[in-house]
Amino acid sequence: MTDNDSRIGRRAALVLGGGAAAMLAAPWVARAQARTIKIGMPTILSGRVATLGISSRNAVMMEMEKVNAAGGLAGRPVEMIFRDSKAQPQEAARVVRELVNTDGCEIIIDGEASSGSFAVQEVARDLKMLTIHTCSETSSLSADPKLRIPNAFRCVRQGVHDSVAGAAYAAKIAKEKGLKKWATCSPDYAYGRDTTAEFVGYLKQFAPDVEIVSESWPKLAQPDYTETLTKLLQANPQAVYSCIWGGDLTAFIDQGNLYGVFSKTPFFAVNMADYTVLTAVKNLPQGIHSGNRYIKTFPMTPQNAAWGDAYREKFKEYPTNWSWQNAAAVAFLAAAAKKANSTDTAKMSEALMGLTIDSPFGMNGKITMRAEDQTIVDYAIGWGTTIPKEPYMPNVTPGDWKQIVELETAWKKSKGYI
Amino acid sequence: MDLDSLFSCFASTSCVITQTTSGFIIGMLLFLVAVGLTLIFGILKVVNFSHGVFYMIGAYLALTVYQTTGSFPLALLAGGFGAALVGLAIERAFMSRIYGANPLMQILVCYALILIFDDLARLIWGGDFRSMGMPDVFQVPPVFIFGGVAPPYYIFVIAVAAAIAIVLALVIARTRFGKIVRAAAHNPAMVSALGINTVAIYALVFAAGCLLAGLAGALAAPVRTVSPGMGFSILIESFIVTVIGGMGSIAGALVGALLIGMLRTFGALGFPLFNEGLMYIFMVMVLVIRPSGLFGKEAA
Amino acid sequence: MRALSFSRALALAAIVLGLLFALLSTTANHALMDFVIRLASLAIFATSLNLLAGYGGMVSFGHGMFYGFGAYFFALTMQRAGVSIPVAIVASILGSALLAAIVGVICVRLKEIYFSFVTLAFQMLIHATILAAMPLTGGDQGLRGGVPRPPFLGLNLSNQKQLCMFSAFLLIVCLFAMHHVVSSPFGATLRMTRDNADRAAYLGIAVDRVRLKAFIIAAVFASIGGLLQALFVSGAYPDFAYWTVSGEGIFVIMLGGTTTFLGPLLGSVLMLLLNDFVSRFTEYHGLALGSVILVVALGLRKGVGDFVVDWLSARSEADASERTKTTEAAS
C-alpha cells in the first residue's frame, strides 16, 4: 500500500514535474513560434501615382492589423516594412534586395506597376523569397511561362479579363443601338496598347460589323488632349473606347466636356468607375460606360459595402483598385500560412497554388489563385453606367467568368504561352 | 503613319479650321510659359529650369481661390500674382546668388527648387490629382466657325494670351522700362554705371516671368489635371519652344509656340505614334541649321 | 590640378584594387555588396560625364543616352546572341562608340548651351526610339526575362559576391583608363579647347575633332556604367535612357566636384548614401535632397571634393607662410 502510495506519489510528482517543466518551457516555445515575421513592400509613394501606392499601403496596413489580431501568419506576428520605389524599376530592384538581405524580410508584397514589377520578379528569381505582386496588370507577368517562377504570385486584375468582359458588354449595346463606327483613344504604352487591341479584337468577334474609324494614342501624363479630341470629332464615330486612367482621365473628361464630346457619343472608359476619378471630376457626364475598378456597390454584398466603409472611415477617402488587390493579397497570405501551417516559402507557395479564399471582392464571394499560372480569377468584374453622384455606378452587369477564361485561354495559345 | 487622314484633313475647311484653332490653344498657353523663360534667359542669362514650378503654383493657387471664393477672375489674379510673389522671394533668396555662375551650378539650383516645390505642393495640397472645375460662364456648347469647332473657354484663353503678347511687345519696345531692360540685356555694367538699379530690374524681370507662368497655370487649371509635378511636361515643351524660337526672343517664343502647337495637332493626324518624336527631330534640325534659333541673335 | 604619372597611377590603382578585394572577400554583408555594384555603375558614368563636362567643357544634358544604350545593347546581346560576357562587353563598347560618333559629329559643332540642348534632344529621341521599338526592346515595360550570366574565366556573375568583385575591378580599371586619358597629351589638348577654342584652333588644333574624340571616349565609359546596371537588375528599362539619368549625373559631379579627378567618385558615394538613407525614412525625399543640394550649391558654391581640396591647399599655404614668417622672425 505504502509502496503503491509512494509509487503513485512518484508518478504524480513526475507528472507535476513534467507539467511544471512544460509550463516553464512554454514561454520559450511560444516565443520561438511567435518570432516576428517581416514582410517588405516596395511601392510608389512619391510622384504622379503616389495616391495609388499610398492606397495600397493603407489596405495592407488595415488588413495586417486583422491578421495580427488573429494571431499572425502561422502564429508569427507580422511586421510590415514599406519603402518608396519612386516608380523606378532599378530602385524597386534595389529596395527589394535591401528589404530581404538587410532588413530580413521573408515575404515581399510587390506594389509596383508595370516595369517595376518585372524588375521585382527578377529579384525574386535570384533571392527566392515568396513574392506576391499586387499592382501590375500586365498579363505577360503571369501568362508568359518564360517569366514564371514557383515563388511569385500575382493578385491583380488583368487587362485581358477586362477586355473580354468589356467587349461582351459593349457588343450587346452596339447591336442594340446599331453602333458600328468606333474610335479608340488610349495611352501610348504597353497597358494602353494591349488592352485596347484586346478589347477591339473581342468586340469585332462579338459584333462583326463593328469597324474602327480612328485611333489616338496620347502620351501617358499628357496634360493637353485638344488634338486627340479634335481628331475624334473629325472621325465622327458612333462610340468611343478608352483605357485612359487616373488624373489623365480627369483631364480628358474636363476637356472633352468643352467640346461636348460625351453628350452625343457613347463613351466606354474601362477605368472611369474609380473613386479617385469619380470624386475628382467636377462635371461628370451622365451615362459613361465603365468597368468596375473598386466600387462598394459591386458585388452588392454587405461584406463589400462594409469593407469600403471601414476603409473610408479609417483613411478619410474611398479605396482604389489597388487597395482591394492588396487587401486580397493579405488574405491570400493568411490563408496560405494557415493551410501550410508554416511561413516557409516553399510550403506557402505550394499552399497558394489553386487556393480559393472567401473574399468580399470575389464575384461570388470567392477568389481563386489559379494554379497553372499563379494569378487570380473569379474576382468581381462587371460593366455599368455612371451617374455624377453616389453610388456613382448603381447597376453593374457582371462579366461571365466562363467566357472570360475560355477566351483568355485562346489568347494565351495565340501568344504561344501554352 | 496615317498620311491619308492628314491629307483628307487638308482637303476640308472645317478640319483645317478645327486643327488650327487647336494648334492656337496649345500654342498660346505654351507661349505664356515660354515667354517668361526666354525673357529671363535674355536678360538674366539664366536658363530657369525651375520655371514649371511657377506654372504649378499658379494652378494650385487658382484652384484654392476658385474653390473657396467661387470667383474665376480672382482665381486668375491669385494664380498670376501669387506665382510672381513666390518668384520674387526665390529670386532674392537663391537666383540672385547664381547670376553669372557656372551654368552647371545654375541647373543644380533649379533642380533643387523643382524637387523642393513639388514636395511642398504635396505637403500642402496632397498627392492626389485635383480638378478645379469649369466656371459656369464657360459651360456652354462649343461655337462653330465655318464648320470648325472651338470651345468658348479656349477662345477666351487665346484672347488673354494674345493680349499679353501685345502688351509685352509694347512695353519692351515703347516704354522707358523696356529700354532699360533691353540695355541691361545688352550691357548690364553700362546700365548700372548710369545709376540704374540693375538688381531691381533683374528681380522685376524674374517676377514678371513667374507671373506669366502662374497665369498660364491658372488658365490651365479648369481643363488640366492639377497635381504635383505638373510643371514638368510644360517645362520641357516650353524649353523646346524657346530653343526653336531663339533664347531671348519674344517673337521667337510666339512663333515657336505656335509651330509646336500646329505640329502637335496636325502631327496627331499624320503620325499618331511618333508625335512627340517629331518635336525632337524638329528641334535637332533647328539647332543644327541655326543654333541660336529661328529668331535668336547669332550666338558667339 | 596635379596629375599622377602613369606608373604611380597604375601602382595606386593596383593597391586600391587589392585592398578592395581583400575587404570584399571577407564580407558577407549583402547591402555592402549591392552598394559596391551600384557605386561602380554610377561612378564610372559620372566620371565619364566629368571627362566631357569638366575637362572638355562640353556640358551634355544627354549623356544618359549612352548609359541606357550600353545597358540595352549589352542585355540584348546576352539574350539574343548567346555570347560570353566579355564578348558582349566589347560589343557594347563598339556599339556605343559608333552611336557616339554619329551623334557626336552633329553635336560637337555646337557651343555652350546649344551643345547641351542638342544632346538633350538626342537623348529624348533615343528614349522615344526605345519605347517605340517594342519587339526588340520590350517598349516601356523594359527588357524582360532576365539577363543570362554564363560563367567565364571561372567567374560566375550570378553570384552576388563575384559580381561585386567584378564591378570593383571594372570601376578601378575604368577610373585608371580615364585618368590616363585626362593626363595624356590628348587631355591637355582637350583642356585647351575648353579654355580657349579660338587659340587652340589658331595653334593648328582641329578643335571639333578633339571634341568628337572626347565625346566618343566619354560615351564608351558611360555605356560600361550602363551595362553594370543591367547586370545588377538583370534587365534594362527605358528609365536608364531618360534625361533624369543625365540630370543625376550632373548632380553627382557637381556634388563631388568637377575640378578633381576623383570628385565624381566622391559625389557618387554621397549621392547613393543620401538616396538610401533618405528613402528609408521619408517619402519626401525630394524636399530633403533639394535642401542638401541648395546647401552645397549656395553654401559651398562648389563640389564637396573641390571644397576639401581647396581647403587643404589653403591650409598648406597658410602653413607655408606661417613657416616663412617664423624663419623671418628667427633671422
Side-chain angles (χ1 to χ4, degrees):
Chain A
M1 212 37 211
T2 37
D3 271 357
N4 253 355
D5 272 355
S6 66
R7 223 169 38 220
I8 290 165
R10 217 179 295 150
R11 196 180 287 162
L14 268 176
V15 169
L16 271 177
M23 271 175 68
L24 270 176
W28 296 103
V29 175
R31 206 171 298 169
Q33 272 175 348
R35 194 169 55 84
T36 311
I37 179 168
K38 286 183 183 163
I39 300 184
M41 178 165 179
T43 190
I44 304 164
L45 298 174
S46 57
R48 216 172 48 83
V49 291
T51 316
L52 287 173
I54 291 166
S55 77
S56 305
R57 180 176 63 183
N58 287 347
V60 168
M61 288 195 303
M62 188 166 114
E63 296 307 297
M64 275 304 176
E65 265 174 35
K66 292 182 204 162
V67 169
N68 275 338
L73 293 183
R76 298 172 65 185
V78 177
E79 184 191 334
M80 287 300 308
I81 304 179
F82 299 95
R83 287 285 157 72
D84 183 9
S85 70
K86 311 175 181 112
Q88 296 168 0
Q90 70 275 28
E91 185 73 358
R94 176 190 78 79
V95 162
V96 172
R97 296 179 70 94
E98 186 182 78
L99 283 167
V100 175
N101 285 331
T102 309
D103 296 296
C105 293
E106 294 173 44
I107 298 174
I108 291 292
I109 296 178
D110 166 34
E112 289 298 315
S114 57
S115 61
S117 66
F118 290 104
V120 173
Q121 178 86 350
E122 290 312 315
V123 179
R125 198 189 299 278
D126 257 12
L127 302 182
K128 307 201 164 36
M129 69 292 179
L130 179 62
T131 301
I132 184 158
H133 304 285
T134 53
C135 301
S136 174
E137 295 187 22
T138 318
S139 290
S140 65
L141 181 62
S142 60
D144 187 347
K146 286 202 294 294
L147 297 180
R148 206 176 300 142
I149 47 173
N151 54 313
F153 296 80
R154 182 239 290 273
C155 181
V156 193
R157 66 165 68 247
Q158 271 187 69
V160 67
H161 296 166
D162 274 333
S163 295
V164 174
Y169 170 86
K172 193 160 161 282
I173 294 174
K175 282 182 190 155
E176 276 167 19
K177 302 205 174 145
L179 308 175
K180 288 176 188 153
K181 288 164 61 190
W182 283 66
T184 66
C185 169
S186 292
D188 183 19
Y189 77 117
Y191 165 77
R193 280 189 304 263
D194 294 351
T195 310
T196 304
E198 286 152 14
F199 176 87
V200 168
Y202 294 125
L203 181 62
K204 283 182 173 168
Q205 192 175 331
F206 299 143
D209 49 359
V210 161
E211 59 162 336
I212 302 297
V213 293
S214 161
E215 290 175 35
S216 311
W217 302 99
K219 285 269 169 291
L220 202 55
Q222 180 168 318
D224 192 291
Y225 292 93
T226 307
E227 81 262 20
T228 314
L229 288 162
T230 53
K231 191 181 168 187
L232 261 185
L233 292 175
Q234 300 302 333
N236 197 21
Q238 289 171 306
V240 179
Y241 169 80
S242 173
C243 62
I244 298 180
W245 53 273
D248 292 357
L249 183 57
T250 317
F252 187 76
I253 302 259
D254 279 339
Q255 293 172 26
N257 275 335
L258 291 181
Y259 285 97
V261 170
F262 308 112
S263 55
K264 46 182 192 199
T265 319
F267 186 48
F268 292 77
V270 55
N271 295 317
M272 184 68 230
D274 171 4
Y275 284 115
T276 37
V277 182
L278 293 167
T279 50
V281 176
K282 288 289 169 303
N283 307 303
L284 186 69
Q286 188 98 17
I288 291 182
H289 300 277
S290 174
N292 69 319
R293 305 308 290 171
Y294 173 79
I295 195 136
K296 65 174 190 168
T297 49
F298 181 75
M300 189 79 88
T301 59
Q303 291 89 336
N304 187 29
W307 189 81
D309 288 334
Y311 183 103
R312 192 182 191 194
E313 172 77 14
K314 199 169 164 90
F315 301 110
K316 308 295 165 231
E317 61 189 10
Y318 271 126
T320 66
N321 183 45
W322 287 19
S323 306
W324 79 257
Q325 293 171 171
N326 278 282
V330 172
F332 266 111
L333 287 177
K338 196 171 168 199
K339 186 173 156 197
N341 194 25
S342 162
T343 51
D344 175 68
T345 299
K347 285 181 188 154
M348 274 188 72
S349 300
E350 204 189 317
L352 275 170
M353 300 276 181
L355 183 64
T356 298
I357 60 164
D358 291 325
S359 168
F361 321 114
M363 186 74 106
N364 296 307
K366 287 184 191 312
I367 302 181
T368 298
M369 180 65 74
R370 193 163 55 187
E372 63 189 64
D373 56 359
Q374 292 147 263
T375 192
I376 54 166
V377 286
D378 295 339
Y379 55 85
I381 189 165
W383 278 66
T385 52
T386 57
I387 54 169
K389 57 180 193 300
E390 293 241 32
Y392 295 115
M393 198 159 79
N395 296 306
V396 181
T397 316
D400 174 3
W401 268 104
K402 201 168 145 279
Q403 182 189 34
I404 293 172
V405 170
E406 217 169 84
L407 289 168
E408 187 199 7
T409 312
W411 170 81
K412 280 187 186 166
K413 279 197 182 120
S414 74
K415 289 270 175 185
Y417 292 149
I418 46 175
Chain B
M1 265 200 281
D2 190 9
L3 290 177
D4 283 355
S5 58
L6 183 59
F7 289 128
S8 69
C9 178
F10 280 127
S12 120
T13 335
S14 69
C15 180
V16 170
I17 289 175
T18 306
Q19 297 305 92
T20 310
T21 25
S22 313
F24 267 95
I25 294 157
I26 298 172
M28 288 314 263
L29 263 183
L30 208 49
F31 164 73
L32 284 185
V33 183
V35 74
L37 198 62
T38 212
L39 264 181
I40 291 172
F41 179 81
I43 292 148
L44 278 52
K45 304 284 181 268
V46 172
V47 183
N48 182 21
F49 277 97
S50 59
H51 208 56
V53 162
F54 304 99
Y55 173 81
M56 175 184 77
I57 292 176
Y60 267 115
L61 288 176
L63 180 136
T64 306
V65 169
Y66 180 71
Q67 290 182 351
T68 43
T69 66
S71 158
F72 185 57
L74 214 57
L76 286 184
L77 290 177
F81 286 99
L85 276 181
V86 177
L88 198 60
I90 286 180
E91 197 275 343
R92 286 291 81 210
F94 306 114
M95 289 295 175
S96 55
R97 292 168 201 270
I98 54 167
Y99 293 148
N102 179 350
L104 278 174
M105 189 63 84
Q106 299 176 343
I107 293 166
L108 202 60
V109 169
C110 291
Y111 178 54
L113 290 174
I114 295 176
L115 290 176
I116 290 174
F117 275 91
D118 277 358
D119 264 3
L120 281 180
R122 206 145 67 91
L123 274 170
I124 299 171
W125 285 284
D128 290 9
F129 52 86
R130 306 271 290 269
S131 170
M132 174 173 140
M134 181 58 60
D136 293 338
V137 212
F138 295 111
Q139 286 195 31
V140 285
V143 293
F144 289 86
I145 312 160
F146 299 114
V149 56
Y153 182 68
Y154 284 161
I155 298 175
F156 167 74
V157 170
I158 294 173
V160 170
I164 285 172
I166 293 168
V167 169
L168 213 56
L170 286 177
V171 167
I172 299 280
R174 300 281 169 81
T175 63
R176 184 180 133 76
F177 177 75
K179 270 185 200 144
I180 297 170
V181 165
R182 272 180 296 151
H186 197 68
N187 189 343
M190 180 58 80
V191 172
S192 82
L194 289 172
I196 295 162
N197 187 350
T198 44
V199 173
I201 299 276
Y202 279 18
L204 267 178
V205 168
F206 193 86
C210 296
L211 186 138
L212 296 177
L215 187 64
L219 284 168
V223 286
R224 294 185 183 174
T225 308
V226 180
S227 65
M230 67 182 285
F232 176 68
S233 57
I234 193 98
L235 170 77
I236 291 286
E237 285 193 343
S238 45
F239 191 69
I240 296 173
V241 163
T242 48
V243 169
I244 289 174
M247 299 293 285
S249 159
I250 292 173
L254 184 62
V255 172
L258 291 177
L259 270 175
I260 290 293
M262 299 303 161
L263 202 65
R264 283 270 300 278
T265 51
F266 287 100
L269 293 176
F271 307 89
L273 287 171
F274 204 60
N275 211 355
E276 198 121 305
L278 282 183
M279 227 158 53
Y280 299 122
I281 291 180
F282 190 46
M283 176 172 164
V284 169
M285 272 163 41
V286 169
L287 276 170
V288 168
I289 297 164
R290 206 182 142 85
S292 51
L294 299 177
F295 287 73
K297 290 185 232 51
E298 275 303 329
Chain C
M1 83 157 284
R2 282 163 299 168
L4 294 170
S5 72
F6 181 81
S7 52
R8 286 181 70 182
L10 186 63
L12 188 66
I15 292 169
V16 172
L17 190 62
L19 282 176
L20 259 177
F21 273 14
L23 175 74
L24 291 174
S25 60
T26 54
T27 186
N29 185 330
H30 294 284
L32 177 67
M33 290 191 259
D34 276 357
F35 186 84
V36 171
I37 302 170
R38 290 161 59 227
L39 175 65
S41 170
L42 182 60
I44 295 173
F45 172 68
T47 310
S48 77
L49 177 60
N50 193 35
L51 186 87
L52 199 61
Y55 290 87
M58 288 175 272
V59 180
S60 172
F61 288 173
H63 202 50
M65 75 178 117
F66 301 111
Y67 185 84
F69 181 84
Y72 269 95
F73 198 97
F74 173 77
L76 273 169
T77 314
M78 291 309 295
Q79 278 189 349
R80 305 255 166 140
V83 295
S84 73
I85 289 176
V87 174
I89 292 179
V90 173
S92 315
I93 288 176
L94 294 177
S96 49
L98 184 66
L99 175 69
I102 298 167
V103 175
V105 162
I106 300 170
C107 294
V108 297
R109 296 189 302 141
L110 299 177
K111 303 285 158 349
E112 294 162 11
I113 199 87
Y114 300 105
F115 172 82
S116 311
F117 293 159
V118 80
T119 44
L120 179 66
F122 269 110
Q123 163 126 48
M124 300 302 256
L125 251 184
I126 297 274
H127 183 253
T129 312
I130 289 177
L131 289 183
M134 276 277 294
L136 189 66
T137 61
D140 54 86
Q141 298 185 344
L143 203 58
R144 283 155 292 162
V147 177
R149 284 164 280 186
F152 67 99
L153 302 175
L155 261 179
N156 175 17
L157 296 191
S158 306
N159 177 304
Q160 192 198 9
K161 193 166 216 168
Q162 299 194 16
L163 178 60
C164 169
M165 297 276 204
F166 181 69
S167 305
F169 170 75
L170 269 188
L171 171 64
I172 301 296
V173 169
C174 289
L175 285 181
F176 172 73
M178 284 188 271
H179 183 264
H180 181 63
V181 169
V182 299
S183 51
S184 69
F186 172 75
T189 317
L190 181 64
R191 282 196 293 279
M192 192 192 284
T193 63
R194 170 195 70 187
D195 295 335
N196 195 335
D198 290 340
R199 203 178 65 180
Y202 189 67
L203 290 173
I205 295 168
V207 174
D208 284 357
R209 207 194 247 150
V210 172
R211 285 160 60 93
L212 180 61
K213 246 186 185 169
F215 192 81
I216 295 172
I217 293 172
V220 162
F221 285 106
S223 74
I224 296 177
L227 68 87
L228 269 181
Q229 178 73 270
L231 276 171
F232 177 60
V233 299
S234 191
Y237 301 96
D239 288 34
F240 295 176
Y242 201 43
W243 71 271
T244 43
V245 173
S246 310
E248 197 175 80
I250 290 178
F251 171 45
V252 163
I253 64 173
M254 288 305 288
L255 187 66
T258 52
T259 61
T260 14
F261 179 74
L262 290 179
L265 175 68
L266 177 67
S268 305
V269 173
L270 292 175
M271 169 76 185
L272 290 180
L273 286 177
L274 207 59
N275 175 66
D276 297 3
F277 182 76
V278 170
S279 56
R280 274 182 96 90
F281 295 105
T282 171
E283 290 141 35
Y284 295 97
H285 34 74
L287 200 57
L289 199 61
S291 311
V292 172
I293 299 176
L294 278 186
V295 169
V296 171
L298 298 175
L300 301 181
R301 300 193 67 86
K302 56 185 123 186
V304 175
D306 295 343
F307 182 78
V308 171
V309 168
D310 288 356
W311 183 72
L312 285 178
S313 67
R315 217 177 63 158
S316 64
E317 264 167 37
D319 278 0
S321 64
E322 193 81 352
R323 242 170 304 162
T324 351
K325 261 185 222 153
T326 3
T327 31
E328 271 167 11
S331 62

